[in-house]
Amino acid sequence: MTEWFRPAGSTARDGYDLVVRPGEQDWHHTGLTIRTLQPGQSVEFDTEDCEYLVLPLSGSAEVVVDGETVPLAGRADVFAGPTDLAYVPRGTRVAVVSADGARIAFPHAKAAGDYPFRRLGTEQVETELRGAGVSSRQVRNFGTPAVLEADSIIACEVLTPAGNWSSYPPHKHDEHKPGEESVLEEIYYFEMQLSAEAPEDVEGNDPIGYQRVYGTDDRPIDVLAEVRNGDLVLVPHGWHGPAMAPPGYDMYYLNVMAGPGSEREWLISDDPQHGWVRKLWDSQQLDPRLPFGTQ
């Protein structure tokens, strides 16, 4: 484990599989917790000064706030399709219960404003097919500014077919440049699966992928992580990408972003050494394996 790479289980505590919260050293705005609920089990907590999303990774649940209950049908797993989710404002007591068992992610971020508790259905999740050729990937925009009204949190899911490069070309968002770049911390949470091309007799293996983060001249950072199911990479600043899915293994990652700016916006700058690769997409086809399943 390094300061910015957190292997699965390394941050588990208080009944959670994974815990990263704003307020850690050199980490200020974003958080993510993940909880596995056994059938009939529940979890209850206060959101305090953060706004939260309740996002089923697998299974279904109910979310209760101030006597109001919203059901989340969920999904079989993160590759099966998008999920419905709930938004919970700061300063709120929330309970989540699962009758049949579930694994729930709780992306959150420091918030200065209040928005109502509500459910967002799968029909509100915008699916974007981004890139082309071996840079093809699928983005589920459930928590981006165009989809979700919120104070600071920005979140999405990215699915990358085996052999493709995602988060590419490398980009950053760590300087305030109005209309060009916004300051955002970012969390990458990974899950992997065998691709559809794998032989039926392949089993018991350990799917892997790779994530790269590197710094600018004045702000060094150096991460090259071999990522597996449940691993986490934090991006406090610097260029990040590619996220690489090796042949044979599909990659999923959950992104959670927030920053200190008064405007909730995701504006990026490409690494000038590599930004030119976007021009290649004009002459390439989208990967025919996309989109992944929609249940």
PDB file of all heavy atoms in Angstrom, residues 15-17 34-38 41 101-104 106:
ATOM      1  N   GLY A  15     -17.137  -2.260  10.531  1.00  0.00           N
ATOM      2  CA  GLY A  15     -18.138  -3.004   9.779  1.00  0.00           C
ATOM      3  C   GLY A  15     -18.189  -2.682   8.299  1.00  0.00           C
ATOM      4  O   GLY A  15     -18.950  -3.301   7.560  1.00  0.00           O
ATOM      5  N   TYR A  16     -17.373  -1.733   7.843  1.00  0.00           N
ATOM      6  CA  TYR A  16     -17.322  -1.360   6.435  1.00  0.00           C
ATOM      7  C   TYR A  16     -16.177  -2.090   5.737  1.00  0.00           C
ATOM      8  O   TYR A  16     -15.098  -2.282   6.316  1.00  0.00           O
ATOM      9  CB  TYR A  16     -17.145   0.146   6.281  1.00  0.00           C
ATOM     10  CG  TYR A  16     -18.374   0.950   6.620  1.00  0.00           C
ATOM     11  CD1 TYR A  16     -18.628   1.353   7.934  1.00  0.00           C
ATOM     12  CD2 TYR A  16     -19.280   1.303   5.635  1.00  0.00           C
ATOM     13  CE1 TYR A  16     -19.760   2.096   8.249  1.00  0.00           C
ATOM     14  CE2 TYR A  16     -20.416   2.056   5.939  1.00  0.00           C
ATOM     15  CZ  TYR A  16     -20.646   2.438   7.240  1.00  0.00           C
ATOM     16  OH  TYR A  16     -21.775   3.166   7.561  1.00  0.00           O
ATOM     17  N   ASP A  17     -16.379  -2.443   4.469  1.00  0.00           N
ATOM     18  CA  ASP A  17     -15.330  -3.083   3.675  1.00  0.00           C
ATOM     19  C   ASP A  17     -14.251  -2.084   3.274  1.00  0.00           C
ATOM     20  O   ASP A  17     -13.092  -2.459   3.065  1.00  0.00           O
ATOM     21  CB  ASP A  17     -15.915  -3.694   2.392  1.00  0.00           C
ATOM     22  CG  ASP A  17     -17.050  -4.656   2.667  1.00  0.00           C
ATOM     23  OD1 ASP A  17     -17.099  -5.237   3.770  1.00  0.00           O
ATOM     24  OD2 ASP A  17     -17.901  -4.840   1.775  1.00  0.00           O
ATOM     25  N   ILE A  34     -17.989   1.510   1.668  1.00  0.00           N
ATOM     26  CA  ILE A  34     -18.711   0.383   1.081  1.00  0.00           C
ATOM     27  C   ILE A  34     -19.058  -0.581   2.200  1.00  0.00           C
ATOM     28  O   ILE A  34     -18.218  -0.901   3.051  1.00  0.00           O
ATOM     29  CB  ILE A  34     -17.875  -0.313  -0.009  1.00  0.00           C
ATOM     30  CG1 ILE A  34     -17.652   0.643  -1.190  1.00  0.00           C
ATOM     31  CG2 ILE A  34     -18.554  -1.590  -0.477  1.00  0.00           C
ATOM     32  CD1 ILE A  34     -16.784   0.079  -2.291  1.00  0.00           C
ATOM     33  N   ARG A  35     -20.292  -1.038   2.184  1.00  0.00           N
ATOM     34  CA  ARG A  35     -20.791  -1.922   3.248  1.00  0.00           C
ATOM     35  C   ARG A  35     -21.472  -3.139   2.628  1.00  0.00           C
ATOM     36  O   ARG A  35     -22.286  -3.000   1.709  1.00  0.00           O
ATOM     37  CB  ARG A  35     -21.809  -1.160   4.106  1.00  0.00           C
ATOM     38  CG  ARG A  35     -22.365  -1.951   5.292  1.00  0.00           C
ATOM     39  CD  ARG A  35     -21.563  -1.693   6.528  1.00  0.00           C
ATOM     40  NE  ARG A  35     -22.143  -2.308   7.709  1.00  0.00           N
ATOM     41  CZ  ARG A  35     -21.955  -1.858   8.940  1.00  0.00           C
ATOM     42  NH1 ARG A  35     -21.233  -0.776   9.155  1.00  0.00           N
ATOM     43  NH2 ARG A  35     -22.481  -2.478   9.966  1.00  0.00           N
ATOM     44  N   THR A  36     -21.137  -4.316   3.116  1.00  0.00           N
ATOM     45  CA  THR A  36     -21.838  -5.540   2.741  1.00  0.00           C
ATOM     46  C   THR A  36     -22.908  -5.826   3.785  1.00  0.00           C
ATOM     47  O   THR A  36     -22.597  -5.941   4.975  1.00  0.00           O
ATOM     48  CB  THR A  36     -20.870  -6.735   2.642  1.00  0.00           C
ATOM     49  OG1 THR A  36     -19.903  -6.470   1.619  1.00  0.00           O
ATOM     50  CG2 THR A  36     -21.619  -8.013   2.290  1.00  0.00           C
ATOM     51  N   LEU A  37     -24.157  -5.897   3.341  1.00  0.00           N
ATOM     52  CA  LEU A  37     -25.281  -6.182   4.226  1.00  0.00           C
ATOM     53  C   LEU A  37     -25.738  -7.620   3.997  1.00  0.00           C
ATOM     54  O   LEU A  37     -26.041  -8.007   2.869  1.00  0.00           O
ATOM     55  CB  LEU A  37     -26.439  -5.222   3.950  1.00  0.00           C
ATOM     56  CG  LEU A  37     -26.172  -3.733   4.201  1.00  0.00           C
ATOM     57  CD1 LEU A  37     -27.398  -2.911   3.816  1.00  0.00           C
ATOM     58  CD2 LEU A  37     -25.801  -3.488   5.654  1.00  0.00           C
ATOM     59  N   GLN A  38     -25.768  -8.397   5.052  1.00  0.00           N
ATOM     60  CA  GLN A  38     -26.320  -9.740   4.985  1.00  0.00           C
ATOM     61  C   GLN A  38     -27.846  -9.649   4.926  1.00  0.00           C
ATOM     62  O   GLN A  38     -28.429  -8.608   5.250  1.00  0.00           O
ATOM     63  CB  GLN A  38     -25.868 -10.561   6.200  1.00  0.00           C
ATOM     64  CG  GLN A  38     -24.359 -10.687   6.332  1.00  0.00           C
ATOM     65  CD  GLN A  38     -23.702 -11.301   5.117  1.00  0.00           C
ATOM     66  OE1 GLN A  38     -24.248 -12.240   4.511  1.00  0.00           O
ATOM     67  NE2 GLN A  38     -22.544 -10.793   4.736  1.00  0.00           N
ATOM     68  N   GLN A  41     -30.060  -7.419   7.225  1.00  0.00           N
ATOM     69  CA  GLN A  41     -29.177  -6.525   7.967  1.00  0.00           C
ATOM     70  C   GLN A  41     -29.364  -5.085   7.525  1.00  0.00           C
ATOM     71  O   GLN A  41     -29.783  -4.804   6.388  1.00  0.00           O
ATOM     72  CB  GLN A  41     -27.720  -6.949   7.771  1.00  0.00           C
ATOM     73  CG  GLN A  41     -26.731  -6.306   8.718  1.00  0.00           C
ATOM     74  CD  GLN A  41     -25.325  -6.857   8.546  1.00  0.00           C
ATOM     75  OE1 GLN A  41     -24.986  -7.448   7.530  1.00  0.00           O
ATOM     76  NE2 GLN A  41     -24.502  -6.668   9.568  1.00  0.00           N
ATOM     77  N   GLY A 101     -29.897  -9.128   1.150  1.00  0.00           N
ATOM     78  CA  GLY A 101     -28.448  -8.942   1.140  1.00  0.00           C
ATOM     79  C   GLY A 101     -28.015  -8.068  -0.020  1.00  0.00           C
ATOM     80  O   GLY A 101     -28.587  -8.117  -1.106  1.00  0.00           O
ATOM     81  N   ALA A 102     -26.999  -7.252   0.203  1.00  0.00           N
ATOM     82  CA  ALA A 102     -26.541  -6.325  -0.823  1.00  0.00           C
ATOM     83  C   ALA A 102     -25.149  -5.826  -0.469  1.00  0.00           C
ATOM     84  O   ALA A 102     -24.703  -5.913   0.679  1.00  0.00           O
ATOM     85  CB  ALA A 102     -27.489  -5.140  -0.960  1.00  0.00           C
ATOM     86  N   ARG A 103     -24.485  -5.296  -1.471  1.00  0.00           N
ATOM     87  CA  ARG A 103     -23.226  -4.576  -1.263  1.00  0.00           C
ATOM     88  C   ARG A 103     -23.464  -3.149  -1.738  1.00  0.00           C
ATOM     89  O   ARG A 103     -23.765  -2.920  -2.910  1.00  0.00           O
ATOM     90  CB  ARG A 103     -22.088  -5.238  -2.035  1.00  0.00           C
ATOM     91  CG  ARG A 103     -20.703  -4.776  -1.604  1.00  0.00           C
ATOM     92  CD  ARG A 103     -19.636  -5.815  -1.934  1.00  0.00           C
ATOM     93  NE  ARG A 103     -18.354  -5.412  -1.398  1.00  0.00           N
ATOM     94  CZ  ARG A 103     -17.409  -4.773  -2.092  1.00  0.00           C
ATOM     95  NH1 ARG A 103     -17.640  -4.496  -3.372  1.00  0.00           N
ATOM     96  NH2 ARG A 103     -16.270  -4.430  -1.535  1.00  0.00           N
ATOM     97  N   ILE A 104     -23.332  -2.193  -0.822  1.00  0.00           N
ATOM     98  CA  ILE A 104     -23.747  -0.822  -1.076  1.00  0.00           C
ATOM     99  C   ILE A 104     -22.534   0.101  -1.002  1.00  0.00           C
ATOM    100  O   ILE A 104     -21.753   0.053  -0.052  1.00  0.00           O
ATOM    101  CB  ILE A 104     -24.784  -0.344  -0.051  1.00  0.00           C
ATOM    102  CG1 ILE A 104     -25.936  -1.346   0.069  1.00  0.00           C
ATOM    103  CG2 ILE A 104     -25.291   1.039  -0.410  1.00  0.00           C
ATOM    104  CD1 ILE A 104     -26.830  -1.420  -1.128  1.00  0.00           C
ATOM    105  N   PHE A 106     -21.301   4.097  -0.753  1.00  0.00           N
ATOM    106  CA  PHE A 106     -21.772   5.391  -0.257  1.00  0.00           C
ATOM    107  C   PHE A 106     -20.779   6.485  -0.671  1.00  0.00           C
ATOM    108  O   PHE A 106     -19.967   6.949   0.144  1.00  0.00           O
ATOM    109  CB  PHE A 106     -21.927   5.370   1.264  1.00  0.00           C
ATOM    110  CG  PHE A 106     -22.924   4.370   1.788  1.00  0.00           C
ATOM    111  CD1 PHE A 106     -22.509   3.121   2.216  1.00  0.00           C
ATOM    112  CD2 PHE A 106     -24.277   4.679   1.843  1.00  0.00           C
ATOM    113  CE1 PHE A 106     -23.418   2.191   2.703  1.00  0.00           C
ATOM    114  CE2 PHE A 106     -25.201   3.763   2.331  1.00  0.00           C
ATOM    115  CZ  PHE A 106     -24.769   2.509   2.756  1.00  0.00           C
TER     116      PHE A 106
END
